[in-house]
Structure formats: structure tokens, C-alpha cells
Amino acid sequence: MIIALLGNPNSGKTTLFNQLTGSNQHVGNFPGVTVEKKEGAVRGQKNMTLVDLPGIYSLSPYTAEEVVTRDFLLVNKPEAVINIVDATNIERNLYLTLQLMEVGVPVVVALNMMDEVRQNGDSIDVPLLSKNLGLPIVPISAAKNEGCEELVQTTIRTAQQKDRPRGLDLCQGEVHRAVHSIAHIIEKEAKAADLPLRYAATKVVEGDPITLSKLHLTDSELEIAETIVREMEANLGTDREAALADMRYDFIASACRDAVKKNGNSRELQRSIAIDRVLTHKYLGIPIFLCVMLLTFFLTFNVIGAVLSDWLSLGIDTLTGLLDQGLANLGINEAVHSLLIDGVCVGVGSVLSFLPTIVTLFFFLSILEDSGYMARVAFVMDKLLRKIGLSGRSFVPMLIGFGCSVPAIMATRTLASERDRRMTILLTPFMSCSAKLPIYATFTAAFFPAYAPLVMIGLYVGGMVVGVLYGLLLKSTLFKGKPVPFVMELPAYRLPSAKSVLIHMWEKAKDFLVRAFTIIFMASIVIWLLQSFDTRLMMVSDSGDSMLAGIGRFIAPIFAPLGFGNWISSTALITGLTAKEAVVSTLAVLTNVPDTAALTTVLGELFTPLAAVSFLAFTLLYMPCVAAVAAVKRELGSAKYAALAMLAQCGVAWIVAFLVYQIGRLFLGV
Ligand code: GDP
Ligand code: MG
């Protein structure tokens, strides 16, 4: 039995999904978190699969995910739909419910967030509402696991009895006439196209192009339909889409009139409004955001994360030392000894020690996200993004990009226009991903230990600034036109839940550990092999004679004008394409340091401080890792465009690093 979970963004779908299936999907107080559908078996039920679909406001497909959801309903035909409705915002949420009723699938409404409704002193007469809508309604609180068992039972019953919503006639007057006349005309075609008649007729009235093309109406039928709709528009004095929207909202208002009792503006809402007055202030909004980020970075890099990272690297170095001793005592073959210590331990260890820093950063970021603050930042950023031809909606994927570009690029599917989507895909890689943190941290520790948070902020903001400039360029060349208006609802401020913050941190840690022991592990071995042997496969005593040095020297001249034309940093940049952490592990392996702490000293010999800044600028901006490139290719739908985009990004990185280095030289007089 397949049950679809459907509802507005941020209505608690994923929370309910986790509750019913016992899985740990990411929950965020942030519209647009779930972009792909996820499946899971319902706990304690045989043969019951729940599908978590992306959140949508309506079934009129304005965005890619609305299409996904609509197709799932019409083509896969789930046995039943659980429509999750945010009870604190019931009128708006029921809009989707009404559209589901038109499709005619068995629907159970899960009235979520009842705990908040109670807290606000509001009340909802569930039996009356259920009667008015002609649907089974189960009040629940997904976060507190209330009513979930009853919801499952009701859903099973509804699915087994194929309880479709009672054929309530939603429409009245003019719209009623139009829908029914058109239903009469298209009856045969709707059947042939396997579409529910009532739904198809409504869509024809709305003028939905996708449905129209599925129906294959004859020219004369189209003409008659058009005449009917025109007449309706003329009589009502509104256009077709508005006429249907009005009709639905009228129906909702009458269904809720006696059933929903609101206790005026709740205290929560008033508090939210008061907080928003400050946080989304016209001038203060952005400075406040920067201060919040500065505080986050300070706590992460100077206070908590740094200390934990130091402890961990101490532990790793001790273990490496012990293993080194052990291998020496056992008289293990020199080459194998070197591979294990200089290759694997140093390479993986140099990356691993940043685990606490990354987990700490994501601890703060998930608190900011879960509390609802990040949605405000998207709102504040809208004005800025509009200047480069994007809307605040694009901030969501970009924000995810600070974690990892791959899910960020996928999150662009929530954007309504293809133009906004493509442009956002091109700009997202400029948001510095968390895999680059080890690079920044290593270099700041080596060159500017006193200014760590400032350097970090500088890099993150630097990436954004270059992204903005690149966006301006795109706007005036490839992407002329206007972004769609910004419609994102600001979720209520909520106390972050410990569970969801922990899940978030665990996800990051797991991801990082997996990468350290797969990609970084392999890369360290390959780098060690390439730097230990020459082209005739003889072991070299000085890695400067190795195969790798040969490759590095070949490309090093490209980077000479940027201040780091040595073979070691060139090679590190290349291995960085597998995963950005590999830049650090490669530097560690190649400089032959005994432990990770010593890397700091060695870097001072390889780079001047100015060259280090230039190197940081280059790693910040140059093309993302292979996984992200693959995501860009998939979402742009063309290998050629993806290749061009990557080439452009490397070009931008080179130019910026060049300017940093050459202008810096002029100023410093070196
Ligand atoms: P989705 O976007 O529909 O998947 O929504 P999520 O499951 O990500 O939840 C959105 C927000 O609502 C999160 O901050 C949840 O913690 C919160 N939430 C979900 N269910 C409830 C509930 O029953 N009561 C309360 N108070 N909050 C909830
Ligand atoms: Mg979700």
C-alpha cells in the first residue's frame, strides 16, 4: 500500500515521516528543505510505504517540484494521501486540500501542530470541520508524537474502503456553470488521458497548459471551452485563475467559519512580529546578520571547535607515533612503513582533525536555521539579490551551499523560473563549502593565527562578493530579464529541537568521516605512490624527482603569476578536485611532515604570507569537486554548459588571485 504525504512547505511533513517510519530525515524550520521524494516503511505495519513529497502550496505547477508531486498523484496513483495541514495557518493550508479533493484520491487530513493551537488558546472543532469538508480529519502533533497511531489507522481504513472525498460541489454560480459545461465537453478525452474528470475540467478552466496538452481536445472543443471561460470572466469581472482561487477561498472560509475559533493575535505571533521588526529591519538586517555570522565563526574557530580540534590532532599524532614505533620495532618493509605513516596516517589525519570544527559550525548553523532566523535572512537578502537579478528565494540553495554544493544545486529545483534556477546553479559554487574549511584553518593557523575569525569571515564574504559581481555580469549578458517576485513565507520562531540539531550534526560528521576514509584515504595513497616513484617506477629518495613532481612542475607555471608556482601547491590544487579536503592532505603528504602540527611550520617555507592569501583566494573560487560538477551537469542538463561554467569559474579564480597577489605586491613593495 503506497501512501503519499503531502502538504505545504514547513507544515511538518518530514517530522511526521520520521515519526511514522522511524527514519532520520533532515527537518528544518525553513521552506524548501525536502526537494526529493523519500520513501519509508511505516513502523508496525506490513506493506505500508510512506512517500514524503516536496512541500507545495498548490497543484498548479509553477515550480519543478509541484510538477513532481502532481505527476506522482496522477500517474503513480497512491492508495491514499495524507494531507498534512498546519493548524495554526489552516485557511491557507486548506487551499491544497481543496485541490486534492478535485483530483479525487482518498485523502486523510492530518491536522498538525495542534500543540501550538492549544497553546495559543485557539480551538478547532474537528468533527464539524470534517463534516464541512467531507474528509476524515485526525488532529495530531508530529513533533510530540500525538495522534500518529490514530492517523495510521484512519489512513488504512480510508485506503481500504477507497473513501474518496464526498463529491462536494465546491463551486457556485458562474464558476460552477463553467466547470460543469466544460466537464460535459471533455468527458471522453479525460477518460482517454486517464485524468479525473472534475480535476481536468477545473484545469481547463484555469487554462493549465500541461493538462491541455494531455487532453488532446479538438479545435472546436477548445473554441467552445474558451468561449465558456471568456463568458465566465466577463460575468465575474476577474480572470480565470483568480476566479478559481476566489471560489476555493470562499469555500474554505465557509467551512472554517464555525469550526475554527481564533483567540485574536496569539502572544507567539506578537512576539514574532516584534522580533522581526528588528531582525528584518531595512538597514539593520544585514549588519545584524554579519554580526551573527562573526559570533558564530568566533565561537567555532577561536573558542570551541579550535580547542576540540587541537585535542583530536594531539590524539591522532600520538596514535601515529605509536604505530610508527610499532612498525619500526616489527621491522616492517620500509616502503610499506612509509606508505602507512607518511601516506595514510598523515593524509587522513590532517583532514580528520578538523572534524570537531565542522561539527561545531553546523551546531550553530542548525540552531540558526531551526529557530527560523535563516528564513529572515533570505527575506533581508531579497533586496540585495534582486540587484543581481535574483530573488530572495535563491538564498535558500546558496545557504545550503555553505554546507555542500551538491544538495545546494539540487535545492534549486524549488525555484519557480528556469532563468532564476540556472543562474543560481552557476552562483552557488561561489558560496564556500564546508570541505574547504580545513584548507582555511590550516593556512590561518600557519600565517595569521591571531586573526582567524576575521580571515574566515573575509573568505566567506569574499566568495559572496565575487558571486555578486559574477551575477551582475550574468545578468547583463546571458540572463537578461526579471526574477520572479519573492514569495516565501516566514515560519514562526521556534525553539530549536535538540533532536533535529543532533541529526544535523551527525549527518555532517558522518559525511565528513566517510569522505576522510574513502576519497581522502585513496587520494593519500595515490599521492604517496606518485611522489615515491619516478617514471621508471624506481623509488626516489627525494620526492622532487618523483612522477608527481614532474606533473606538478608541468602545470606550476600557470600559478607562478599568482605567487605559488611550486609543484607541491599545484599538485594539491589538482587533487583538491576529488574533494577539497584533499588539498590539505596532499600538502601534508608532500611536505613529508612528521605530524599535522608540523605542517604549519613547513607551509611558511612554501608560501609567503601574500602568496598564502592568493592561494586561499584561488581555493575559495576555483571549480568545485567532481561530485558538485556532476550535480551541475545533471541540473543544467548539458555537459557542454557545465564544462563552460567550470572553465569560467577557474578563470574567475585565477584573475582574482592574480589581482590579490599583484596588487598586494605593489602595496607591500615586495
Ligand atoms: P516540512 O517542510 O513540511 O517537511 O516540515 P518539517 O518537518 O521540516 O517541520 C517544520 C518545522 O515545524 C520544524 O521546525 C519542526 O520542528 C516543526 N514542527 C513539526 N511538527 C510540529 C508539531 O507538531 N508541533 C510543533 N510545535 N512544531 C512542529
Ligand atoms: Mg521536509
Side-chain angles (χ1 to χ4, degrees):
M1 192 191 284
I2 295 182
I3 309 292
L5 194 55
L6 211 71
N8 284 186
N10 223 35
S11 56
K13 289 178 302 303
T14 307
T15 312
L16 180 64
F17 180 82
N18 288 349
Q19 206 65 264
L20 294 183
T21 61
S23 58
N24 284 326
Q25 296 293 348
H26 181 91
V27 172
N29 191 8
F30 205 95
V33 169
T34 311
V35 281
E36 275 190 312
K37 60 175 206 269
K38 303 206 174 73
E39 295 188 8
V42 176
R43 268 193 293 199
Q45 296 294 333
K46 269 181 258 156
N47 303 327
M48 188 169 173
T49 307
L50 200 61
V51 184
D52 184 17
L53 293 163
I56 52 171
Y57 291 108
S58 80
L59 286 179
S60 325
Y62 294 113
T63 68
E65 41 184 19
E66 284 171 359
V67 178
V68 169
T69 307
R70 192 165 117 163
D71 282 352
F72 185 83
L73 284 184
L74 294 173
V75 179
N76 295 40
K77 297 209 167 75
E79 267 76 15
V81 174
I82 296 180
N83 173 212
I84 184 158
V85 164
D86 176 354
T88 60
N89 206 339
I90 190 162
E91 283 91 355
R92 217 253 348 269
N93 274 247
L94 284 176
Y95 192 80
L96 179 65
T97 313
L98 249 55
Q99 293 197 315
L100 285 172
M101 288 160 65
E102 285 164 11
V103 175
V105 283
V107 179
V108 177
V109 170
L111 203 55
N112 192 29
M113 317 243 182
M114 284 306 280
D115 55 322
E116 284 196 8
V117 170
R118 274 193 309 260
Q119 228 176 37
N120 294 344
D122 302 343
S123 68
I124 297 175
D125 183 344
V126 175
L128 179 61
L129 189 64
S130 168
K131 184 170 147 272
N132 289 351
L133 291 172
L135 291 171
I137 301 182
V138 184
I140 64 166
S141 166
K144 301 207 153 52
N145 199 9
E146 289 170 13
C148 295
E149 188 48 38
E150 199 195 330
L151 176 64
V152 173
Q153 295 309 331
T154 310
T155 310
I156 293 176
R157 217 175 317 126
T158 309
Q160 278 168 351
Q161 297 170 355
K162 300 205 166 44
D163 254 346
R164 288 171 210 295
R166 268 189 290 116
L168 280 186
D169 218 354
L170 310 178
C171 48
Q172 293 148 352
E174 291 296 331
V175 180
H176 177 91
R177 282 231 315 268
V179 170
H180 285 268
S181 324
I182 287 180
H184 207 66
I185 303 171
I186 64 169
E187 203 169 342
K188 220 170 61 229
E189 282 88 348
K191 197 160 201 177
D194 197 19
L195 291 174
L197 179 58
R198 161 94 213 186
Y199 167 80
T202 317
K203 288 293 148 192
V204 171
V205 175
E206 252 175 345
D208 171 45
I210 300 181
T211 309
L212 280 173
S213 75
K214 273 193 200 153
L215 281 172
H216 303 294
L217 298 179
T218 63
D219 283 345
S220 68
E221 281 167 340
L222 276 174
E223 212 166 298
I224 302 174
E226 184 62 25
T227 320
I228 295 174
V229 177
R230 281 262 169 76
E231 200 176 317
M232 175 194 83
E233 285 181 325
N235 291 341
L236 285 175
T238 49
D239 70 15
R240 49 197 79 183
E241 284 189 51
L244 283 171
D246 285 348
M247 162 200 102
R248 294 193 186 112
Y249 278 121
D250 284 346
F251 183 82
I252 292 171
S254 71
C256 290
R257 194 168 300 130
D258 301 321
V260 180
K261 291 262 177 310
K262 284 250 162 91
N263 184 19
N265 270 0
S266 68
R267 243 183 314 145
E268 246 86 330
L269 191 65
Q270 281 167 3
R271 196 189 54 199
S272 258
I273 292 173
I275 300 177
D276 277 342
R277 215 167 280 146
V278 181
L279 293 185
T280 60
H281 188 268
K282 219 157 106 197
Y283 304 111
L284 291 179
I286 290 178
I288 290 178
F289 173 55
L290 286 180
C291 288
V292 168
M293 291 320 282
L294 192 68
L295 186 68
T296 305
F297 285 137
F298 174 73
L299 288 176
T300 306
F301 296 108
N302 280 35
V303 187
I304 307 169
V307 173
L308 293 177
S309 274
D310 282 350
W311 286 351
L312 186 62
S313 61
L314 211 67
I316 293 172
D317 292 346
T318 316
L319 277 182
T320 309
L322 284 177
L323 184 65
D324 195 7
Q325 246 340 189
L327 291 173
N329 289 347
L330 287 173
I332 300 286
N333 170 301
E334 266 307 298
V336 175
H337 185 161
S338 166
L339 170 66
L340 283 177
I341 299 297
D342 305 333
V344 176
C345 285
V346 169
V348 174
S350 62
V351 167
L352 211 55
S353 59
F354 292 101
L355 177 67
T357 314
I358 286 175
V359 172
T360 315
L361 181 64
F362 279 89
F363 169 75
F364 290 118
L365 287 185
S366 48
I367 287 185
L368 289 179
E369 184 188 313
D370 221 28
S371 65
Y373 177 59
M374 282 306 186
R376 270 72 189 181
V377 178
F379 175 76
V380 170
M381 287 292 182
D382 180 57
K383 245 200 291 160
L384 223 72
L385 285 169
R386 213 155 270 286
K387 293 216 166 71
I388 62 167
L390 287 175
S391 81
R393 208 66 169 95
S394 298
F395 181 76
V396 184
M398 290 189 180
L399 184 79
I400 300 176
F402 287 118
C404 173
S405 302
V406 177
I409 288 162
M410 278 165 51
T412 57
R413 290 182 199 165
T414 53
L415 301 181
S417 91
E418 198 56 24
R419 171 191 167 283
D420 288 17
R421 204 169 95 82
R422 285 171 181 271
M423 203 165 151
T424 310
I425 292 172
L426 294 183
L427 293 182
T428 301
F430 287 105
M431 306 303 123
S432 175
C433 79
S434 64
K436 293 178 186 168
L437 267 180
I439 313 178
Y440 306 159
T442 306
F443 275 78
T444 35
F447 294 96
F448 327 97
Y451 303 105
L454 279 181
V455 175
M456 294 293 169
I457 280 267
L459 284 164
Y460 277 84
V461 171
M464 290 190 248
V465 168
V466 174
V468 165
L469 294 176
Y470 194 61
L472 283 175
L473 184 75
L474 290 178
K475 180 189 165 201
S476 55
T477 53
L478 291 172
F479 292 92
K480 293 215 171 88
K482 272 213 166 4
V484 290
F486 179 57
V487 270
M488 184 169 109
E489 160 194 11
L490 297 182
Y493 284 104
R494 290 201 175 92
L495 220 55
S497 86
K499 187 177 165 209
S500 107
V501 172
L502 283 176
I503 291 176
H504 206 158
M505 284 164 68
W506 165 239
E507 270 172 7
K508 274 288 146 199
K510 196 175 67 180
D511 211 45
F512 189 78
L513 284 173
V514 167
R515 287 156 69 87
F517 286 103
T518 52
I519 304 181
I520 305 299
F521 179 82
M522 296 297 286
S524 300
I525 292 182
V526 171
I527 293 298
W528 180 86
L529 285 173
L530 288 176
Q531 66 123 21
S532 301
F533 296 92
D534 63 14
T535 42
R536 285 168 297 134
L537 297 184
M538 304 291 255
M539 201 151 174
V540 294
S541 51
D542 178 3
S543 58
D545 302 326
S546 67
M547 247 186 285
L548 192 62
I551 303 172
R553 280 199 197 93
F554 182 71
I555 52 166
I558 303 176
F559 300 114
L562 314 183
F564 45 90
N566 58 67
W567 69 271
I568 293 184
S569 48
S570 319
T571 330
L573 287 174
I574 292 183
T575 52
L577 295 181
T578 57
K580 295 292 163 176
E581 300 97 328
V583 171
V584 171
S585 62
T586 306
L587 285 173
V589 173
L590 289 183
T591 49
N592 233 330
V593 288
D595 55 44
T596 49
L599 184 59
T600 319
T601 355
V602 179
L603 284 180
E605 295 159 19
L606 220 50
F607 295 87
T608 64
L610 183 58
V613 177
S614 157
F615 187 78
L616 283 177
F618 192 83
T619 44
L620 166 70
L621 300 171
Y622 86 123
M623 70 185 267
C625 68
V626 278
V629 176
V632 170
K633 183 192 148 254
R634 208 170 47 232
E635 299 296 319
L636 283 181
S638 144
K640 197 178 84 192
Y641 287 138
L644 279 177
M646 293 309 128
L647 218 62
Q649 230 191 303
C650 289
V652 169
W654 195 91
I655 293 171
V656 171
F658 179 80
L659 291 176
V660 165
Y661 187 65
Q662 298 300 344
I663 295 177
R665 263 186 4 158
L666 284 182
F667 271 95
L668 298 176
V670 288

